[in-house]
Amino acid sequence: GQQVMQIPQYQHVQEGEDFTTYCNSSTTLSNIQWYKQRPGGHPVFLIQLVKSGEVKKQKRLTFQFGEAKKNSSLHITATQTTDVGTYFCAAPYNQGGKLIFGQGTELSVKP
Amino acid sequence: SAVISQKPSRDICQRGTSLTIQCQVDSQVTMMFWYRQQPGQSLTLIATANQGSEATYESGFVIDKFPISRPNLTFSTLTVSNMSPEDSSIYLCSVATHLRRDYNEQFFGPGTRLTVL
């Protein structure tokens, strides 16, 4: 079945360092979504990418969708302690609005 | 967006018993989903809750174990039946307010943390 692979599983950074998580699929995706889950919280939608090669920015966060629409990345510049949490990519599969989630990347930031 | 509440927020249950989790949305929504998130793991879709008809289950999940109701467009329940310790997990409901290709993000409830002894 369809899978969305996400790496790395964990990332520990010093505050101020950059962070990147990657998401890959073996099949072409219609879109890709990114969610953030704070410790003890629930996933919160961050952004959706639809177009080939699309790049979107939210303050220090930069999201990219590959030209072949099979991969995506989330890059955080100059991490802060508020960035702590697990970042998930998610892609639609089959029909009916269902999503398949990547394994997630847990980010910890040392002040 | 949508505001979603879940009850209970957490529970500790004995094996062999059942627990019903409620999900309430503040507006009518197109799609409602139930997920399971085991400790330190990603989200796994259990089923799509269909209004007025039987839920659509994903591979590995069956109606006898996880019966779901959705009587209207703002409410759904998930029952975890005949529980065992392996059912200890966080159960999340989510909704999608649109199904457009470029606009179909999901909004999640706060989750129900279930511990089975």
Side-chain angles (χ1 to χ4, degrees), chain B residues 13-90:
Chain B
C13 302
Q14 297 296 321
R15 69 170 66 211
T17 62
S18 298
L19 176 72
T20 295
I21 302 167
Q22 299 180 6
C23 178
Q24 180 74 54
V25 191
D26 67 340
S27 58
Q28 293 186 349
V29 292
T30 306
M31 309 295 293
M32 294 183 76
F33 306 94
W34 287 97
Y35 289 84
R36 181 174 72 185
Q37 186 176 30
Q38 296 178 311
Q41 302 296 312
S42 185
L43 288 81
T44 300
L45 181 64
I46 297 172
T48 303
N50 300 310
Q51 192 261 329
S53 64
E54 192 171 288
T56 305
Y57 290 84
E58 298 300 306
S59 176
F61 298 96
V62 295
I63 187 171
D64 289 346
K65 177 67 177 177
F66 298 102
I68 289 171
S69 77
R70 189 178 175 192
N72 56 53
L73 292 175
T74 64
F75 184 79
S76 178
T77 66
L78 167 73
T79 299
V80 186
S81 304
N82 189 24
M83 289 184 285
S84 67
E86 291 72 35
D87 294 320
S88 298
S89 190
I90 298 172

Side-chain angles (χ1 to χ4, degrees), chain A residues 9-10 30-31 33 35 37 40-45 48 50-51 69 88 92-94 96-104, chain B residues 31 33 35 37 40-43 45 48 56-58 90 92 96 99-111 113:
Chain A
Q9 187 174 0
Y10 303 98
S30 59
N31 69 68
Q33 304 176 20
Y35 292 79
Q37 185 174 26
H42 59 275
V44 174
F45 174 77
Q48 180 168 303
V50 180
K51 299 176 182 177
K69 300 181 72 173
F88 293 98
Y93 77 102
N94 295 337
K98 294 191 289 188
L99 294 176
I100 183 168
F101 281 78
Q103 296 90 334
Chain B
M31 309 295 293
F33 306 94
Y35 289 84
Q37 186 176 30
Q41 302 296 312
S42 185
L43 288 81
L45 181 64
T48 303
T56 305
Y57 290 84
E58 298 300 306
I90 298 172
L92 295 144
L99 287 179
R100 284 167 38 185
R101 185 180 73 92
D102 59 345
Y103 187 30
N104 59 359
E105 70 269 26
Q106 292 186 15
F107 301 95
F108 285 83
R113 186 179 296 271

Side-chain angles (χ1 to χ4, degrees), chain A residues 70-89:
Chain A
K70 290 185 176 181
N71 59 76
S72 181
S73 65
L74 159 59
H75 179 82
I76 302 178
T77 304
T79 54
Q80 300 175 358
T81 55
T82 54
D83 296 324
V84 164
T86 301
Y87 293 84
F88 293 98
C89 61

